[in-house]
Amino acid sequence: MMFKNILVLFSLIFFNVAFSQVFINEIDADNPGSDVREFVELKSSTPNFSLNGYVLVFFNESNTASYYAYDLDGFVTDANGIAHFGNILVSPSPIGTIPNNKMQNGPDVVALYLGNATDFPNTTSTGTTATTTNLIDAIAYSNSNTTVATNLMAILNLTVSTADIETTNSVSKSIQRKNDGTYEVKPPTPGVNNDGSGVALNYLSTSMIADNFNEGQQFTIQFTTTAPVTSNIVFTFTLQEGNFTIADYSGTNVNATTGIVTVTILAGTSTASTIINLTDDIINEGDEETHLVLSTLPTGYFKNNDNIYIRIYDNDFIVQNFGTPLNPTYGNVLPTIPSGYYDSLEGLSGAALKQAVQDIIANPSVVRAHNYGDIEFILKESDKNPDNSNQVWCMYVESPKPILDYQVGSSNIGVWNREHIFPQSRGGFSDGTSSTANGIGEWLPTNANDISAGHADAHHIRAEDGAENSLRSNRNYGIDYNGPAGNSGSWHGDVARSLFYMAVRYNGLNVVNGDPSEYLPSTTTSSGNIGDLATLLNWNTTDPRDDFEMNRNNYIYTWQMNRNPFIDYPLLANYIFGANFGQPWSASLTTQNTVQNKIVVHPNPAEDYLIISGLEGNAIAKIYTLTGQLIQHIKFENEIKLNLNCKAGMYLVTITNGSQTTTKKIIVK
């Protein structure tokens, strides 16, 4: 019995000693710009150390509970005792992948425990509270010199917190353990000893001339080892993912059945390459993204990079018969207004007219309310770039982005997302609907008092560059926000007509003059007000609705079963919000469609001259700057070649023929 007890005691001592041979060697929880190179590195005191029985746990200071756990079973440290886990863009490639933006910037704690990830469950509200039970090592960190994870440090008996301060333009840094057990912050060294010592490992690097290609292109993938290989090494990779299949690529080393590509680096050499041919079909499948994933390398070789994303642009995209907001067309897209839709407005004025419009667009027996998750899919159709159906048009920045670049993580750099023209904080509908899409077939009843529906009303939500969306925030238009520097204002009228719609569709929302406060005085209640009305009324005139906007109105109607009447009849804004308030409304007041369908203004863009045709009889043409300054005025009959006397930029051409007037945008090179 005594021998058995001694044996048990010896086993426990051996067990604890073995599990104390590893510690957290380096962490990088914050990167300049977007967090796509985060990692945690472990180091064992002996090489090739098994990590079975360990788990990395990430704790949130705000509730002292875990928000993520990563099980380390099956992983082994390398010849230097190093093993790192992180995002797929970390180089050398981590042996285990942590999703992008998963690690919080701090102040927080990363800890190493004995146990399993299942010991640290996380729910939507909270995770597992931090304790010292089975704790092996932990690092407290912050992205500020003034804040630390005070509560977590007290629980885990930590006395030091290290600050890793990153800005968009700073040099990337990480927190690294020194040989004396203290920490320093310097450029990251994933996969190697922090002091540069140790065995030089033979890494395999993968490279291409680019990471995006068009259908039908051919490209070479190069593989290079740090040092020549001592014998032939053979490895494989695949490119298949999602809709990108073996039918989309081929090559000499590609298995035509499985799509697996085999590569051999010959003994005594350090490089090999393979050629990939992208299939040029005639199907518009949309742009696709796949990634190159290497198989396990032979013993003694390590991946310098892996999970390389490759984008394939489909050259079979659809081009519409109408232009972008920056190069607009008029009259090519006809409104799909149901018969009699606006008949009830005839002869009304003032408040009665506004109420009649609301009765149409907020009719509880007809209008449908969808959710915020549905908006993603609505925008991917309603906001498509007319010149390329695989892109969306970003309103403020006046340029397209691939549909594939829809924001899914926390970083808004290089992606597009959903912009509320009437800000959530002002409207009082923040997070008012679910982010899980239900599709066009499911909706909720709604009415004019259903302010939560404004959270997902597509008539005021547009595709936008993520960074510009954040810069706009909840600022008022005109007197505060006017878009990025140098923009042409091709979105001005779109914004105005969206806000006029919101102010009629929902009770409690208003478009007002000036720069209204975001909040009511001495309260945290949303004001429901946005400005500036005078600016928006001007924008409604100087940036007339175009085919892009009409096409969008038509599509959103198929989901919501309501239209934006200020797109169908832009002049209506003056009768509800502007100078014509109190005057009787009639649809016959606006003859813009008839005139625009006839008039041809070309070339556009123009250089030295402009041809105006499609008219009968006497007409007048006026050219204005976007700020309303008249720079040319000429009378003509039927048709004219007008010599331009203006600088490069965007202008408005107003053409009057009898009692009919229309306005078109032109670009002068």
Side-chain angles (χ1 to χ4, degrees):
M1 177 64 74
M2 181 176 291
F3 176 76
K4 183 176 180 179
N5 290 338
I6 293 173
L7 182 61
V8 170
L9 179 61
F10 175 78
S11 298
L12 289 173
I13 293 172
F14 178 79
F15 180 82
N16 289 330
V17 169
F19 275 105
S20 65
Q21 290 182 328
V22 63
F23 50 83
I24 299 174
N25 197 47
E26 183 176 0
I27 65 168
D28 190 354
D30 192 12
N31 305 146
S34 57
D35 290 335
V36 293
R37 290 179 172 82
E38 303 166 330
F39 68 90
V40 177
E41 179 184 87
L42 304 181
K43 182 173 177 60
S44 59
S45 57
T46 58
N48 306 313
F49 183 82
S50 172
L51 297 176
N52 288 342
Y54 288 95
V55 59
L56 279 172
V57 183
F58 301 79
F59 288 110
N60 189 330
E61 166 66 8
S62 64
N63 60 4
T64 67
S66 61
Y67 64 88
Y68 182 60
Y70 192 88
D71 208 310
L72 304 183
D73 288 345
F75 294 109
V76 178
T77 63
D78 62 21
N80 292 311
I82 297 291
H84 66 294
F85 306 86
N87 305 154
I88 61 174
L89 290 184
V90 174
S91 180
S93 293
I95 62 174
T97 303
I98 295 175
N100 286 348
N101 303 295
K102 177 60 71 172
M103 295 177 63
Q104 297 180 1
N105 293 342
D108 291 306
V109 167
V110 175
L112 179 67
Y113 280 87
L114 292 177
N116 299 294
T118 54
D119 298 328
F120 300 89
N122 179 263
T123 66
T124 56
S125 58
T126 187
T128 305
T129 303
T131 70
T132 56
T133 304
N134 294 325
L135 178 66
I136 301 300
D137 193 21
I139 291 182
Y141 66 93
S142 177
N143 62 350
S144 166
N145 283 321
T146 59
T147 58
V148 298
T150 305
N151 297 321
L152 282 170
M153 292 176 66
I155 293 171
L156 300 176
N157 298 323
L158 301 176
T159 58
V160 175
S161 176
T162 306
D164 176 12
I165 303 171
E166 307 276 356
T167 63
T168 301
N169 299 316
S170 69
V171 175
S172 181
K173 301 178 292 294
S174 67
I175 299 170
Q176 301 177 32
R177 188 180 190 275
K178 299 165 65 174
N179 292 332
D180 62 4
T182 60
Y183 300 97
E184 61 181 338
V185 178
K186 63 180 185 179
T189 61
V192 298
N193 287 331
N194 296 336
D195 62 2
S197 64
V199 178
L201 304 179
N202 202 347
Y203 282 103
L204 175 70
S205 298
T206 305
S207 62
M208 298 175 293
I209 59 172
D211 59 6
N212 60 86
F213 304 94
N214 295 320
E215 275 190 354
Q217 276 191 283
Q218 181 185 86
F219 64 96
T220 300
I221 305 176
Q222 185 85 18
F223 301 93
T224 306
T225 54
T226 308
V229 302
T230 56
S231 60
N232 291 357
I233 67 166
V234 180
F235 54 92
T236 63
F237 67 88
T238 181
L239 293 174
Q240 298 182 75
E241 180 173 305
N243 294 327
F244 190 78
T245 68
I246 183 57
D248 295 310
Y249 68 101
S250 61
T252 303
N253 299 322
V254 179
N255 185 301
T257 302
T258 65
I260 295 174
V261 189
T262 302
V263 181
T264 302
I265 299 181
L266 299 176
T269 68
S270 59
T271 62
S273 63
T274 190
I275 296 175
I276 300 296
N277 302 304
L278 295 172
T279 305
D280 187 3
D281 55 30
I282 58 173
I283 304 170
N284 180 30
E285 304 164 301
D287 297 339
E288 296 172 300
E289 196 168 62
T290 185
H291 69 285
L292 186 159
V293 181
L294 292 171
S295 63
T296 302
L297 298 180
T299 302
Y301 298 93
F302 302 86
K303 302 173 187 178
N304 187 51
N305 53 345
D306 195 7
N307 285 285
I308 300 171
Y309 278 85
I310 304 170
R311 178 163 295 182
I312 299 91
Y313 293 115
D314 195 326
N315 57 11
D316 301 302
F317 54 81
I318 297 171
V319 178
Q320 297 291 346
N321 68 336
F322 59 90
T324 69
L326 197 58
N327 188 18
T329 59
Y330 304 90
N332 292 343
V333 178
L334 299 179
T336 57
I337 304 172
S339 177
Y341 190 73
Y342 292 117
D343 285 358
S344 61
L345 307 184
E346 291 296 310
L348 298 180
S349 62
L353 176 61
K354 180 179 179 182
Q355 183 60 55
V357 173
Q358 185 185 73
D359 291 343
I360 296 171
I361 64 176
N363 185 345
S365 65
V366 176
V367 179
R368 304 170 178 176
H370 291 83
N371 66 41
Y372 197 45
D374 290 319
I375 290 295
E376 172 190 344
F377 300 97
I378 294 175
L379 296 184
K380 286 178 178 179
E381 185 63 37
S382 66
D383 288 24
K384 277 184 176 179
N385 175 16
D387 292 337
N388 186 330
S389 59
N390 296 324
Q391 301 171 340
V392 292
W393 185 263
C394 294
M395 182 175 62
Y396 300 139
V397 297
E398 301 179 314
S399 62
K401 278 190 180 297
I403 289 176
L404 284 177
D405 287 334
Y406 174 73
Q407 182 178 339
V408 293
S410 60
S411 173
N412 62 10
I413 306 300
V415 296
W416 66 274
N417 55 26
R418 298 162 288 189
E419 156 70 336
H420 287 86
I421 294 176
F422 202 116
Q424 298 184 64
S425 60
R426 290 180 178 274
F429 41 73
S430 298
D431 301 321
T433 65
S434 170
S435 292
T436 302
N438 288 327
I440 195 171
E442 292 187 32
W443 64 89
L444 295 172
T446 186
N447 55 54
N449 294 316
D450 181 19
I451 197 69
S452 293
H455 179 244
D457 194 317
H459 282 303
H460 86 116
I461 304 176
R462 292 288 289 265
E464 188 50 68
D465 173 78
E468 187 62 30
N469 189 347
S470 295
L471 285 173
R472 187 261 160 154
S473 185
N474 59 4
R475 295 154 65 187
N476 293 294
Y477 290 100
I479 52 180
D480 187 3
Y481 180 76
N482 285 283
N487 81 93
S488 298
S490 64
W491 48 274
H492 284 173
D494 304 51
V495 159
R497 289 179 282 274
S498 291
L499 292 177
F500 296 151
Y501 162 87
M502 291 294 286
V504 176
R505 165 67 174 87
Y506 298 98
N507 291 331
L509 299 187
N510 306 286
V511 182
V512 299
N513 279 311
D515 190 5
S517 171
E518 176 187 351
Y519 299 109
L520 294 172
S522 304
T523 74
T524 57
T525 304
S526 300
S527 68
N529 296 329
I530 191 168
D532 168 54
L533 176 58
T535 296
L536 295 169
L537 286 168
N538 180 56
W539 284 1
N540 182 47
T541 301
T542 58
D543 176 32
R545 70 105 201 279
D546 53 28
D547 287 328
F548 181 91
E549 200 175 357
M550 183 60 76
N551 179 73
R552 192 174 191 279
N553 198 19
N554 290 345
Y555 182 73
I556 292 171
Y557 175 77
T558 66
W559 280 73
Q560 297 185 180
M561 300 306 293
N562 70 352
R563 299 182 63 83
N564 184 338
F566 301 100
I567 295 175
D568 292 332
Y569 295 111
L571 190 61
L572 186 60
N574 291 340
Y575 284 75
I576 294 179
F577 299 100
N580 299 110
F581 183 84
Q583 299 176 14
W585 164 260
S586 174
S588 63
L589 293 166
T590 174
T591 56
Q592 182 171 304
N593 286 346
T594 304
V595 179
Q596 287 179 344
N597 286 339
K598 295 179 180 179
I599 294 178
V600 177
V601 178
H602 67 97
N604 192 12
E607 293 187 9
D608 302 321
Y609 66 90
L610 197 66
I611 295 175
I612 304 174
S613 61
L615 296 168
E616 295 181 1
N618 296 325
I620 299 174
K622 297 180 181 180
I623 300 180
Y624 295 89
T625 66
L626 291 182
T627 59
Q629 179 185 0
L630 177 64
I631 59 173
Q632 282 187 256
H633 178 185
I634 191 166
K635 297 180 179 179
F636 66 98
E637 185 174 353
N638 299 333
E639 182 176 326
I640 187 174
K641 181 178 180 180
L642 177 61
N643 293 322
L644 295 173
N645 183 24
C646 49
K647 299 177 181 179
M650 180 174 285
Y651 297 86
L652 301 173
V653 181
T654 299
I655 304 161
T656 302
N657 181 221
S659 62
Q660 300 176 339
T661 300
T662 186
T663 302
K664 293 181 178 289
K665 293 181 191 175
I666 62 166
I667 297 174
V668 178
K669 292 184 177 179

